[in-house]
mmCIF file of all heavy atoms in Angstrom:
data_model
loop_
_atom_site.group_PDB
_atom_site.id
_atom_site.type_symbol
_atom_site.label_atom_id
_atom_site.label_comp_id
_atom_site.label_asym_id
_atom_site.label_seq_id
_atom_site.Cartn_x
_atom_site.Cartn_y
_atom_site.Cartn_z
ATOM 1 N N MET U 1 -62.245 -25.212 106.516
ATOM 2 C CA MET U 1 -62.508 -26.338 105.631
ATOM 3 C C MET U 1 -61.655 -26.285 104.440
ATOM 4 O O MET U 1 -61.784 -25.305 103.619
ATOM 5 C CB MET U 1 -63.978 -26.410 105.321
ATOM 6 C CG MET U 1 -64.925 -26.417 106.423
ATOM 7 S SD MET U 1 -64.873 -28.026 107.314
ATOM 8 C CE MET U 1 -65.965 -28.991 106.235
ATOM 9 N N GLY U 2 -60.973 -27.348 104.112
ATOM 10 C CA GLY U 2 -60.190 -27.386 102.841
ATOM 11 C C GLY U 2 -61.148 -27.504 101.651
ATOM 12 O O GLY U 2 -62.078 -28.191 101.636
ATOM 13 N N PRO U 3 -60.798 -26.867 100.557
ATOM 14 C CA PRO U 3 -61.621 -26.788 99.485
ATOM 15 C C PRO U 3 -61.523 -28.179 98.623
ATOM 16 O O PRO U 3 -62.424 -28.461 97.807
ATOM 17 C CB PRO U 3 -61.157 -25.609 98.593
ATOM 18 C CG PRO U 3 -59.719 -25.378 99.065
ATOM 19 C CD PRO U 3 -59.686 -25.845 100.445
ATOM 20 N N LYS U 4 -60.344 -28.763 98.709
ATOM 21 C CA LYS U 4 -60.007 -29.952 97.905
ATOM 22 C C LYS U 4 -59.751 -31.115 98.869
ATOM 23 O O LYS U 4 -59.242 -31.023 99.875
ATOM 24 C CB LYS U 4 -58.789 -29.662 97.098
ATOM 25 C CG LYS U 4 -58.898 -28.683 96.021
ATOM 26 C CD LYS U 4 -57.857 -28.818 94.946
ATOM 27 C CE LYS U 4 -56.502 -28.773 95.379
ATOM 28 N NZ LYS U 4 -55.521 -28.948 94.253
ATOM 29 N N SER U 5 -60.165 -32.222 98.247
ATOM 30 C CA SER U 5 -59.920 -33.343 98.998
ATOM 31 C C SER U 5 -58.710 -34.066 98.267
ATOM 32 O O SER U 5 -58.381 -33.653 97.200
ATOM 33 C CB SER U 5 -60.969 -34.488 98.925
ATOM 34 O OG SER U 5 -61.585 -34.357 97.588
ATOM 35 N N LYS U 6 -57.952 -34.897 98.963
ATOM 36 C CA LYS U 6 -56.640 -35.413 98.497
ATOM 37 C C LYS U 6 -56.715 -36.916 98.510
ATOM 38 O O LYS U 6 -57.509 -37.569 99.264
ATOM 39 C CB LYS U 6 -55.582 -34.881 99.440
ATOM 40 C CG LYS U 6 -55.328 -33.396 99.299
ATOM 41 C CD LYS U 6 -54.281 -32.938 100.218
ATOM 42 C CE LYS U 6 -54.768 -33.163 101.683
ATOM 43 N NZ LYS U 6 -54.107 -32.193 102.579
ATOM 44 N N PHE U 7 -55.686 -37.447 97.835
ATOM 45 C CA PHE U 7 -55.456 -38.874 97.992
ATOM 46 C C PHE U 7 -54.146 -38.988 98.639
ATOM 47 O O PHE U 7 -53.128 -38.137 98.375
ATOM 48 C CB PHE U 7 -55.386 -39.410 96.541
ATOM 49 C CG PHE U 7 -56.709 -39.639 95.988
ATOM 50 C CD1 PHE U 7 -57.179 -38.635 95.086
ATOM 51 C CD2 PHE U 7 -57.477 -40.669 96.216
ATOM 52 C CE1 PHE U 7 -58.371 -38.728 94.454
ATOM 53 C CE2 PHE U 7 -58.773 -40.786 95.612
ATOM 54 C CZ PHE U 7 -59.195 -39.743 94.707
ATOM 55 N N ILE U 8 -53.982 -39.950 99.493
ATOM 56 C CA ILE U 8 -52.779 -40.072 100.341
ATOM 57 C C ILE U 8 -52.221 -41.469 100.159
ATOM 58 O O ILE U 8 -53.068 -42.503 100.197
ATOM 59 C CB ILE U 8 -53.071 -39.839 101.772
ATOM 60 C CG1 ILE U 8 -53.683 -38.407 102.013
ATOM 61 C CG2 ILE U 8 -51.786 -39.965 102.607
ATOM 62 C CD1 ILE U 8 -54.200 -38.170 103.345
ATOM 63 N N LYS U 9 -50.883 -41.550 99.844
ATOM 64 C CA LYS U 9 -50.348 -42.872 99.771
ATOM 65 C C LYS U 9 -49.815 -43.288 101.140
ATOM 66 O O LYS U 9 -49.044 -42.576 101.740
ATOM 67 C CB LYS U 9 -49.269 -42.907 98.717
ATOM 68 C CG LYS U 9 -48.629 -44.263 98.404
ATOM 69 C CD LYS U 9 -47.412 -44.319 97.704
ATOM 70 C CE LYS U 9 -47.563 -44.165 96.236
ATOM 71 N NZ LYS U 9 -46.280 -44.265 95.501
ATOM 72 N N VAL U 10 -50.298 -44.482 101.579
ATOM 73 C CA VAL U 10 -49.840 -44.898 102.903
ATOM 74 C C VAL U 10 -49.232 -46.313 102.862
ATOM 75 O O VAL U 10 -49.424 -46.934 101.873
ATOM 76 C CB VAL U 10 -51.091 -44.949 103.932
ATOM 77 C CG1 VAL U 10 -51.677 -43.518 104.117
ATOM 78 C CG2 VAL U 10 -52.094 -45.870 103.416
ATOM 79 N N ARG U 11 -48.601 -46.568 103.887
ATOM 80 C CA ARG U 11 -47.914 -47.983 104.042
ATOM 81 C C ARG U 11 -48.620 -48.678 105.142
ATOM 82 O O ARG U 11 -48.491 -48.159 106.276
ATOM 83 C CB ARG U 11 -46.456 -47.979 104.044
ATOM 84 C CG ARG U 11 -45.873 -49.375 104.108
ATOM 85 C CD ARG U 11 -44.454 -49.396 104.439
ATOM 86 N NE ARG U 11 -43.750 -49.062 103.227
ATOM 87 C CZ ARG U 11 -42.632 -48.168 103.217
ATOM 88 N NH1 ARG U 11 -42.187 -47.662 104.218
ATOM 89 N NH2 ARG U 11 -42.019 -47.905 102.069
ATOM 90 N N CYS U 12 -49.054 -49.831 104.986
ATOM 91 C CA CYS U 12 -49.627 -50.600 106.075
ATOM 92 C C CYS U 12 -48.557 -50.904 107.064
ATOM 93 O O CYS U 12 -47.514 -51.372 106.776
ATOM 94 C CB CYS U 12 -50.316 -51.826 105.539
ATOM 95 S SG CYS U 12 -50.849 -53.002 106.913
ATOM 96 N N SER U 13 -48.953 -50.621 108.374
ATOM 97 C CA SER U 13 -47.882 -50.854 109.431
ATOM 98 C C SER U 13 -47.682 -52.318 109.680
ATOM 99 O O SER U 13 -46.689 -52.789 110.235
ATOM 100 C CB SER U 13 -48.343 -50.117 110.719
ATOM 101 O OG SER U 13 -49.579 -50.615 110.999
ATOM 102 N N LYS U 14 -48.569 -53.077 109.245
ATOM 103 C CA LYS U 14 -48.551 -54.609 109.529
ATOM 104 C C LYS U 14 -47.849 -55.360 108.443
ATOM 105 O O LYS U 14 -46.836 -56.066 108.626
ATOM 106 C CB LYS U 14 -49.873 -55.024 109.721
ATOM 107 C CG LYS U 14 -50.053 -56.301 110.521
ATOM 108 C CD LYS U 14 -51.542 -56.512 110.855
ATOM 109 C CE LYS U 14 -51.762 -57.838 111.378
ATOM 110 N NZ LYS U 14 -53.303 -58.079 111.677
ATOM 111 N N CYS U 15 -48.280 -55.212 107.168
ATOM 112 C CA CYS U 15 -47.809 -56.051 106.041
ATOM 113 C C CYS U 15 -46.973 -55.181 105.033
ATOM 114 O O CYS U 15 -46.464 -55.816 104.130
ATOM 115 C CB CYS U 15 -48.914 -56.742 105.372
ATOM 116 S SG CYS U 15 -49.933 -55.703 104.272
ATOM 117 N N LYS U 16 -46.842 -53.901 105.291
ATOM 118 C CA LYS U 16 -46.099 -52.981 104.396
ATOM 119 C C LYS U 16 -46.709 -52.748 102.991
ATOM 120 O O LYS U 16 -45.855 -52.303 102.191
ATOM 121 C CB LYS U 16 -44.561 -53.461 104.263
ATOM 122 C CG LYS U 16 -43.919 -53.814 105.541
ATOM 123 C CD LYS U 16 -43.938 -52.700 106.533
ATOM 124 C CE LYS U 16 -43.147 -53.025 107.832
ATOM 125 N NZ LYS U 16 -43.499 -52.149 108.919
ATOM 126 N N ASN U 17 -47.871 -53.169 102.923
ATOM 127 C CA ASN U 17 -48.520 -52.935 101.581
ATOM 128 C C ASN U 17 -48.690 -51.508 101.353
ATOM 129 O O ASN U 17 -49.083 -50.761 102.399
ATOM 130 C CB ASN U 17 -49.924 -53.584 101.673
ATOM 131 C CG ASN U 17 -50.729 -53.215 100.332
ATOM 132 O OD1 ASN U 17 -50.324 -53.352 99.255
ATOM 133 N ND2 ASN U 17 -51.965 -52.834 100.655
ATOM 134 N N GLU U 18 -48.434 -50.848 100.208
ATOM 135 C CA GLU U 18 -48.713 -49.520 99.880
ATOM 136 C C GLU U 18 -49.989 -49.453 99.251
ATOM 137 O O GLU U 18 -50.405 -50.237 98.301
ATOM 138 C CB GLU U 18 -47.601 -48.979 98.984
ATOM 139 C CG GLU U 18 -46.235 -48.948 99.834
ATOM 140 C CD GLU U 18 -45.133 -48.310 98.883
ATOM 141 O OE1 GLU U 18 -45.397 -47.795 97.727
ATOM 142 O OE2 GLU U 18 -43.928 -48.411 99.319
ATOM 143 N N GLN U 19 -50.726 -48.473 99.685
ATOM 144 C CA GLN U 19 -52.166 -48.296 99.227
ATOM 145 C C GLN U 19 -52.459 -46.742 99.224
ATOM 146 O O GLN U 19 -51.998 -46.096 100.019
ATOM 147 C CB GLN U 19 -53.068 -49.014 100.234
ATOM 148 C CG GLN U 19 -54.461 -49.198 99.704
ATOM 149 C CD GLN U 19 -55.257 -50.215 100.747
ATOM 150 O OE1 GLN U 19 -54.561 -51.184 101.039
ATOM 151 N NE2 GLN U 19 -56.347 -49.870 100.912
ATOM 152 N N ILE U 20 -53.239 -46.381 98.185
ATOM 153 C CA ILE U 20 -53.768 -45.037 98.067
ATOM 154 C C ILE U 20 -55.106 -44.876 98.711
ATOM 155 O O ILE U 20 -55.978 -45.724 98.247
ATOM 156 C CB ILE U 20 -53.650 -44.568 96.632
ATOM 157 C CG1 ILE U 20 -52.154 -44.503 96.230
ATOM 158 C CG2 ILE U 20 -54.245 -43.163 96.432
ATOM 159 C CD1 ILE U 20 -51.956 -44.283 94.699
ATOM 160 N N ILE U 21 -55.280 -43.985 99.663
ATOM 161 C CA ILE U 21 -56.558 -43.787 100.217
ATOM 162 C C ILE U 21 -57.087 -42.449 100.128
ATOM 163 O O ILE U 21 -56.212 -41.520 99.897
ATOM 164 C CB ILE U 21 -56.515 -44.229 101.795
ATOM 165 C CG1 ILE U 21 -55.693 -43.271 102.461
ATOM 166 C CG2 ILE U 21 -56.028 -45.667 101.980
ATOM 167 C CD1 ILE U 21 -55.844 -43.502 103.997
ATOM 168 N N PHE U 22 -58.251 -42.234 100.186
ATOM 169 C CA PHE U 22 -58.987 -41.018 100.023
ATOM 170 C C PHE U 22 -59.000 -40.106 101.294
ATOM 171 O O PHE U 22 -59.289 -40.661 102.459
ATOM 172 C CB PHE U 22 -60.471 -41.174 99.553
ATOM 173 C CG PHE U 22 -61.083 -39.935 99.029
ATOM 174 C CD1 PHE U 22 -60.513 -39.013 98.134
ATOM 175 C CD2 PHE U 22 -62.484 -39.782 99.431
ATOM 176 C CE1 PHE U 22 -61.166 -37.915 97.770
ATOM 177 C CE2 PHE U 22 -63.187 -38.652 98.973
ATOM 178 C CZ PHE U 22 -62.538 -37.657 98.164
ATOM 179 N N ASP U 23 -58.567 -38.871 101.328
ATOM 180 C CA ASP U 23 -58.452 -38.060 102.255
ATOM 181 C C ASP U 23 -59.648 -37.997 103.319
ATOM 182 O O ASP U 23 -59.797 -37.675 104.341
ATOM 183 C CB ASP U 23 -58.053 -36.627 101.896
ATOM 184 C CG ASP U 23 -57.886 -35.593 102.886
ATOM 185 O OD1 ASP U 23 -57.236 -35.878 103.898
ATOM 186 O OD2 ASP U 23 -58.480 -34.516 102.768
ATOM 187 N N LYS U 24 -60.814 -37.962 102.415
ATOM 188 C CA LYS U 24 -62.223 -37.671 103.130
ATOM 189 C C LYS U 24 -63.029 -38.951 103.117
ATOM 190 O O LYS U 24 -64.259 -39.117 102.745
ATOM 191 C CB LYS U 24 -62.904 -36.593 102.449
ATOM 192 C CG LYS U 24 -62.280 -35.229 102.723
ATOM 193 C CD LYS U 24 -63.188 -34.111 102.142
ATOM 194 C CE LYS U 24 -62.699 -32.784 102.754
ATOM 195 N NZ LYS U 24 -61.307 -32.571 102.288
ATOM 196 N N ALA U 25 -62.380 -40.059 103.572
ATOM 197 C CA ALA U 25 -63.053 -41.337 103.550
ATOM 198 C C ALA U 25 -64.171 -41.296 104.557
ATOM 199 O O ALA U 25 -64.151 -40.740 105.648
ATOM 200 C CB ALA U 25 -62.080 -42.466 104.078
ATOM 201 N N SER U 26 -65.428 -41.788 104.060
ATOM 202 C CA SER U 26 -66.522 -41.761 104.934
ATOM 203 C C SER U 26 -66.695 -43.006 105.792
ATOM 204 O O SER U 26 -67.612 -43.089 106.575
ATOM 205 C CB SER U 26 -67.853 -41.400 104.089
ATOM 206 O OG SER U 26 -67.900 -42.347 103.042
ATOM 207 N N THR U 27 -65.986 -44.037 105.387
ATOM 208 C CA THR U 27 -66.019 -45.194 106.165
ATOM 209 C C THR U 27 -64.563 -45.622 106.495
ATOM 210 O O THR U 27 -63.665 -45.085 105.988
ATOM 211 C CB THR U 27 -66.588 -46.374 105.313
ATOM 212 O OG1 THR U 27 -65.860 -46.530 104.049
ATOM 213 C CG2 THR U 27 -68.124 -46.013 104.837
ATOM 214 N N GLU U 28 -64.501 -46.627 107.319
ATOM 215 C CA GLU U 28 -63.152 -47.096 107.741
ATOM 216 C C GLU U 28 -62.466 -47.726 106.387
ATOM 217 O O GLU U 28 -63.167 -48.411 105.624
ATOM 218 C CB GLU U 28 -63.491 -48.364 108.684
ATOM 219 C CG GLU U 28 -62.327 -48.562 109.683
ATOM 220 C CD GLU U 28 -62.792 -49.587 110.633
ATOM 221 O OE1 GLU U 28 -63.128 -50.737 110.330
ATOM 222 O OE2 GLU U 28 -62.858 -49.201 111.875
ATOM 223 N N VAL U 29 -61.187 -47.406 106.334
ATOM 224 C CA VAL U 29 -60.366 -47.947 105.237
ATOM 225 C C VAL U 29 -59.517 -49.036 105.727
ATOM 226 O O VAL U 29 -58.773 -48.850 106.659
ATOM 227 C CB VAL U 29 -59.509 -46.747 104.601
ATOM 228 C CG1 VAL U 29 -58.717 -47.303 103.431
ATOM 229 C CG2 VAL U 29 -60.443 -45.660 104.191
ATOM 230 N N LYS U 30 -59.544 -50.202 105.048
ATOM 231 C CA LYS U 30 -58.626 -51.240 105.547
ATOM 232 C C LYS U 30 -57.686 -51.619 104.463
ATOM 233 O O LYS U 30 -57.879 -51.399 103.287
ATOM 234 C CB LYS U 30 -59.549 -52.522 105.793
ATOM 235 C CG LYS U 30 -60.406 -52.384 107.041
ATOM 236 C CD LYS U 30 -61.125 -53.572 107.323
ATOM 237 C CE LYS U 30 -61.995 -53.462 108.622
ATOM 238 N NZ LYS U 30 -62.898 -54.561 108.768
ATOM 239 N N CYS U 31 -56.653 -52.280 104.919
ATOM 240 C CA CYS U 31 -55.602 -52.831 104.056
ATOM 241 C C CYS U 31 -56.168 -53.879 103.161
ATOM 242 O O CYS U 31 -56.947 -54.751 103.696
ATOM 243 C CB CYS U 31 -54.426 -53.389 104.890
ATOM 244 S SG CYS U 31 -53.153 -54.030 103.830
ATOM 245 N N LEU U 32 -55.913 -53.830 101.797
ATOM 246 C CA LEU U 32 -56.478 -54.746 100.921
ATOM 247 C C LEU U 32 -55.855 -56.111 101.108
ATOM 248 O O LEU U 32 -56.355 -57.220 100.631
ATOM 249 C CB LEU U 32 -56.414 -54.275 99.479
ATOM 250 C CG LEU U 32 -57.186 -53.022 99.138
ATOM 251 C CD1 LEU U 32 -56.866 -52.532 97.674
ATOM 252 C CD2 LEU U 32 -58.620 -53.296 99.314
ATOM 253 N N VAL U 33 -54.599 -56.134 101.604
ATOM 254 C CA VAL U 33 -53.889 -57.318 101.727
ATOM 255 C C VAL U 33 -54.117 -58.062 103.068
ATOM 256 O O VAL U 33 -54.516 -59.260 103.150
ATOM 257 C CB VAL U 33 -52.429 -57.128 101.681
ATOM 258 C CG1 VAL U 33 -51.527 -58.360 101.857
ATOM 259 C CG2 VAL U 33 -52.047 -56.521 100.245
ATOM 260 N N CYS U 34 -54.038 -57.352 104.182
ATOM 261 C CA CYS U 34 -54.137 -58.036 105.498
ATOM 262 C C CYS U 34 -55.341 -57.608 106.374
ATOM 263 O O CYS U 34 -55.546 -58.127 107.471
ATOM 264 C CB CYS U 34 -52.794 -57.901 106.265
ATOM 265 S SG CYS U 34 -52.757 -56.135 106.882
ATOM 266 N N ASN U 35 -56.118 -56.624 105.802
ATOM 267 C CA ASN U 35 -57.248 -56.173 106.579
ATOM 268 C C ASN U 35 -57.101 -55.300 107.734
ATOM 269 O O ASN U 35 -57.998 -55.000 108.605
ATOM 270 C CB ASN U 35 -58.204 -57.260 106.830
ATOM 271 C CG ASN U 35 -59.662 -57.145 106.477
ATOM 272 O OD1 ASN U 35 -59.898 -56.476 105.469
ATOM 273 N ND2 ASN U 35 -60.553 -57.802 107.176
ATOM 274 N N GLU U 36 -55.868 -54.865 107.893
ATOM 275 C CA GLU U 36 -55.591 -53.967 109.014
ATOM 276 C C GLU U 36 -56.271 -52.643 108.723
ATOM 277 O O GLU U 36 -56.328 -52.124 107.592
ATOM 278 C CB GLU U 36 -54.064 -53.740 109.045
ATOM 279 C CG GLU U 36 -53.550 -52.762 110.137
ATOM 280 C CD GLU U 36 -53.389 -53.371 111.483
ATOM 281 O OE1 GLU U 36 -53.851 -54.516 111.654
ATOM 282 O OE2 GLU U 36 -52.868 -52.765 112.365
ATOM 283 N N VAL U 37 -56.760 -51.914 109.826
ATOM 284 C CA VAL U 37 -57.430 -50.650 109.594
ATOM 285 C C VAL U 37 -56.359 -49.612 109.354
ATOM 286 O O VAL U 37 -55.389 -49.375 110.100
ATOM 287 C CB VAL U 37 -58.249 -50.300 110.845
ATOM 288 C CG1 VAL U 37 -58.771 -48.852 110.635
ATOM 289 C CG2 VAL U 37 -59.335 -51.279 110.999
ATOM 290 N N LEU U 38 -56.538 -48.842 108.217
ATOM 291 C CA LEU U 38 -55.498 -47.833 107.764
ATOM 292 C C LEU U 38 -56.062 -46.501 108.232
ATOM 293 O O LEU U 38 -55.137 -45.518 108.464
ATOM 294 C CB LEU U 38 -55.205 -47.892 106.280
ATOM 295 C CG LEU U 38 -54.677 -49.190 105.777
ATOM 296 C CD1 LEU U 38 -54.466 -49.091 104.210
ATOM 297 C CD2 LEU U 38 -53.425 -49.599 106.388
ATOM 298 N N ALA U 39 -57.288 -46.339 108.238
ATOM 299 C CA ALA U 39 -57.808 -44.986 108.533
ATOM 300 C C ALA U 39 -59.322 -45.186 109.079
ATOM 301 O O ALA U 39 -59.965 -46.060 108.603
ATOM 302 C CB ALA U 39 -57.750 -44.089 107.270
ATOM 303 N N THR U 40 -59.728 -44.306 109.970
ATOM 304 C CA THR U 40 -61.136 -44.337 110.420
ATOM 305 C C THR U 40 -61.591 -42.940 109.966
ATOM 306 O O THR U 40 -60.963 -41.966 109.693
ATOM 307 C CB THR U 40 -61.188 -44.450 111.883
ATOM 308 O OG1 THR U 40 -60.319 -43.486 112.493
ATOM 309 C CG2 THR U 40 -60.555 -45.853 112.361
ATOM 310 N N SER U 41 -62.971 -42.953 109.899
ATOM 311 C CA SER U 41 -63.555 -41.719 109.541
ATOM 312 C C SER U 41 -64.072 -40.890 110.737
ATOM 313 O O SER U 41 -64.553 -41.513 111.751
ATOM 314 C CB SER U 41 -64.786 -42.112 108.760
ATOM 315 O OG SER U 41 -65.565 -40.947 108.355
ATOM 316 N N THR U 42 -63.758 -39.626 110.757
ATOM 317 C CA THR U 42 -64.010 -38.808 111.910
ATOM 318 C C THR U 42 -64.858 -37.584 111.230
ATOM 319 O O THR U 42 -64.421 -36.456 111.211
ATOM 320 C CB THR U 42 -62.853 -38.255 112.594
ATOM 321 O OG1 THR U 42 -61.985 -37.533 111.610
ATOM 322 C CG2 THR U 42 -62.058 -39.325 113.257
ATOM 323 N N GLY U 43 -66.162 -37.961 110.885
ATOM 324 C CA GLY U 43 -67.048 -36.912 110.456
ATOM 325 C C GLY U 43 -66.474 -36.176 109.226
ATOM 326 O O GLY U 43 -66.456 -34.943 109.082
ATOM 327 N N GLY U 44 -66.108 -36.947 108.241
ATOM 328 C CA GLY U 44 -65.863 -36.425 106.896
ATOM 329 C C GLY U 44 -64.285 -36.397 106.631
ATOM 330 O O GLY U 44 -63.984 -36.239 105.447
ATOM 331 N N LYS U 45 -63.458 -36.353 107.678
ATOM 332 C CA LYS U 45 -62.112 -36.406 107.453
ATOM 333 C C LYS U 45 -61.478 -37.670 108.001
ATOM 334 O O LYS U 45 -61.712 -38.034 109.121
ATOM 335 C CB LYS U 45 -61.443 -35.232 108.083
ATOM 336 C CG LYS U 45 -59.929 -35.001 107.562
ATOM 337 C CD LYS U 45 -59.516 -33.542 107.845
ATOM 338 C CE LYS U 45 -58.081 -33.338 107.477
ATOM 339 N NZ LYS U 45 -57.722 -33.701 106.115
ATOM 340 N N ALA U 46 -60.651 -38.299 107.085
ATOM 341 C CA ALA U 46 -60.033 -39.586 107.524
ATOM 342 C C ALA U 46 -58.943 -39.348 108.547
ATOM 343 O O ALA U 46 -58.219 -38.447 108.551
ATOM 344 C CB ALA U 46 -59.450 -40.264 106.415
ATOM 345 N N LYS U 47 -58.939 -40.205 109.493
ATOM 346 C CA LYS U 47 -57.940 -40.066 110.586
ATOM 347 C C LYS U 47 -57.060 -41.378 110.319
ATOM 348 O O LYS U 47 -57.382 -42.464 110.543
ATOM 349 C CB LYS U 47 -58.574 -40.181 112.025
ATOM 350 C CG LYS U 47 -57.613 -40.119 113.160
ATOM 351 C CD LYS U 47 -58.338 -40.041 114.462
ATOM 352 C CE LYS U 47 -57.354 -40.314 115.690
ATOM 353 N NZ LYS U 47 -56.453 -39.063 115.828
ATOM 354 N N LEU U 48 -55.820 -41.068 109.992
ATOM 355 C CA LEU U 48 -54.931 -42.076 109.592
ATOM 356 C C LEU U 48 -54.348 -42.884 110.805
ATOM 357 O O LEU U 48 -54.024 -42.247 111.799
ATOM 358 C CB LEU U 48 -53.683 -41.470 108.812
ATOM 359 C CG LEU U 48 -54.067 -40.820 107.496
ATOM 360 C CD1 LEU U 48 -52.951 -40.200 106.887
ATOM 361 C CD2 LEU U 48 -54.692 -41.889 106.556
ATOM 362 N N LYS U 49 -54.129 -44.113 110.567
ATOM 363 C CA LYS U 49 -53.684 -45.039 111.598
ATOM 364 C C LYS U 49 -52.479 -45.476 111.224
ATOM 365 O O LYS U 49 -51.753 -46.397 111.940
ATOM 366 C CB LYS U 49 -54.737 -46.229 111.777
ATOM 367 C CG LYS U 49 -56.039 -45.854 112.205
ATOM 368 C CD LYS U 49 -56.092 -45.365 113.717
ATOM 369 C CE LYS U 49 -57.364 -45.741 114.321
ATOM 370 N NZ LYS U 49 -57.439 -45.202 115.681
ATOM 371 N N THR U 50 -51.849 -45.055 110.123
ATOM 372 C CA THR U 50 -50.593 -45.769 109.632
ATOM 373 C C THR U 50 -49.810 -44.508 109.066
ATOM 374 O O THR U 50 -50.191 -43.402 108.971
ATOM 375 C CB THR U 50 -50.842 -46.807 108.655
ATOM 376 O OG1 THR U 50 -49.691 -47.417 108.359
ATOM 377 C CG2 THR U 50 -51.467 -46.315 107.491
ATOM 378 N N SER U 51 -48.535 -44.832 108.570
ATOM 379 C CA SER U 51 -47.790 -43.850 108.137
ATOM 380 C C SER U 51 -47.992 -43.328 106.693
ATOM 381 O O SER U 51 -48.269 -44.160 105.852
ATOM 382 C CB SER U 51 -46.233 -44.230 108.303
ATOM 383 O OG SER U 51 -46.133 -45.452 107.691
ATOM 384 N N ILE U 52 -47.842 -41.993 106.451
ATOM 385 C CA ILE U 52 -48.096 -41.366 105.167
ATOM 386 C C ILE U 52 -46.769 -41.548 104.413
ATOM 387 O O ILE U 52 -45.662 -41.096 104.887
ATOM 388 C CB ILE U 52 -48.436 -39.946 105.291
ATOM 389 C CG1 ILE U 52 -49.787 -39.886 105.990
ATOM 390 C CG2 ILE U 52 -48.500 -39.306 103.976
ATOM 391 C CD1 ILE U 52 -50.201 -38.364 106.299
ATOM 392 N N LEU U 53 -46.716 -41.983 103.188
ATOM 393 C CA LEU U 53 -45.706 -42.103 102.259
ATOM 394 C C LEU U 53 -45.584 -40.805 101.441
ATOM 395 O O LEU U 53 -44.517 -40.161 101.170
ATOM 396 C CB LEU U 53 -45.676 -43.224 101.408
ATOM 397 C CG LEU U 53 -45.484 -44.596 102.060
ATOM 398 C CD1 LEU U 53 -45.603 -45.683 100.998
ATOM 399 C CD2 LEU U 53 -44.178 -44.636 102.891
ATOM 400 N N GLU U 54 -46.779 -40.387 101.006
ATOM 401 C CA GLU U 54 -46.798 -39.299 99.903
ATOM 402 C C GLU U 54 -48.222 -38.699 99.933
ATOM 403 O O GLU U 54 -49.228 -39.589 100.119
ATOM 404 C CB GLU U 54 -46.290 -39.968 98.606
ATOM 405 C CG GLU U 54 -46.162 -38.863 97.559
ATOM 406 C CD GLU U 54 -45.773 -39.610 96.236
ATOM 407 O OE1 GLU U 54 -45.475 -40.807 96.277
ATOM 408 O OE2 GLU U 54 -45.841 -38.917 95.246
ATOM 409 N N ILE U 55 -48.246 -37.543 99.762
ATOM 410 C CA ILE U 55 -49.584 -36.924 99.531
ATOM 411 C C ILE U 55 -49.654 -36.493 98.021
ATOM 412 O O ILE U 55 -48.840 -35.786 97.448
ATOM 413 C CB ILE U 55 -49.785 -35.609 100.462
ATOM 414 C CG1 ILE U 55 -49.784 -35.962 101.931
ATOM 415 C CG2 ILE U 55 -51.068 -34.857 100.048
ATOM 416 C CD1 ILE U 55 -49.903 -34.854 102.930
ATOM 417 N N LEU U 56 -50.728 -36.998 97.373
ATOM 418 C CA LEU U 56 -50.846 -36.873 95.942
ATOM 419 C C LEU U 56 -51.805 -35.694 95.752
ATOM 420 O O LEU U 56 -52.727 -35.359 96.527
ATOM 421 C CB LEU U 56 -51.543 -37.992 95.405
ATOM 422 C CG LEU U 56 -50.618 -39.379 95.717
ATOM 423 C CD1 LEU U 56 -51.436 -40.600 95.393
ATOM 424 C CD2 LEU U 56 -49.264 -39.491 95.156
ATOM 425 N N ALA U 57 -51.512 -34.964 94.625
ATOM 426 C CA ALA U 57 -52.310 -33.793 94.398
ATOM 427 C C ALA U 57 -53.774 -34.062 94.026
ATOM 428 O O ALA U 57 -54.021 -35.189 93.526
ATOM 429 C CB ALA U 57 -51.621 -33.046 93.154
HETATM 430 ZN ZN1 ZN E 101 -51.658 -54.733 105.499
#
């Protein structure tokens, strides 16, 4: 188990919107622009559905 949670910058595969999401999202995360699902929750850790641009400290 990682001690720290992270923020991850991702790009929506559909509309190319860049968005920062939480590593340990407890709910589905959707693109704020087009509503595409960017990550789903898998018991505490987000499972990304799109490409990571950058991992933020
Ligand atoms: Zn989008």
Side-chain angles (χ1 to χ4, degrees):
M1 301 291 276
K4 291 203 304 183
S5 42
K6 290 175 298 209
F7 289 94
I8 303 170
K9 189 194 274 184
V10 298
R11 178 185 286 140
C12 177
S13 56
K14 201 168 170 184
C15 75
K16 312 302 182 196
N17 172 53
E18 291 181 10
Q19 192 167 319
I20 292 169
I21 67 171
F22 190 44
D23 181 49
K24 291 191 170 55
S26 56
T27 57
E28 208 169 64
V29 180
K30 289 182 177 175
C31 175
L32 295 174
V33 176
C34 75
N35 229 31
E36 179 82 349
V37 174
L38 301 180
T40 56
S41 178
T42 55
K45 189 157 174 65
K47 183 177 169 68
L48 296 174
K49 299 288 213 185
T50 190
S51 51
I52 296 173
L53 291 179
E54 193 180 344
I55 295 175
L56 307 170

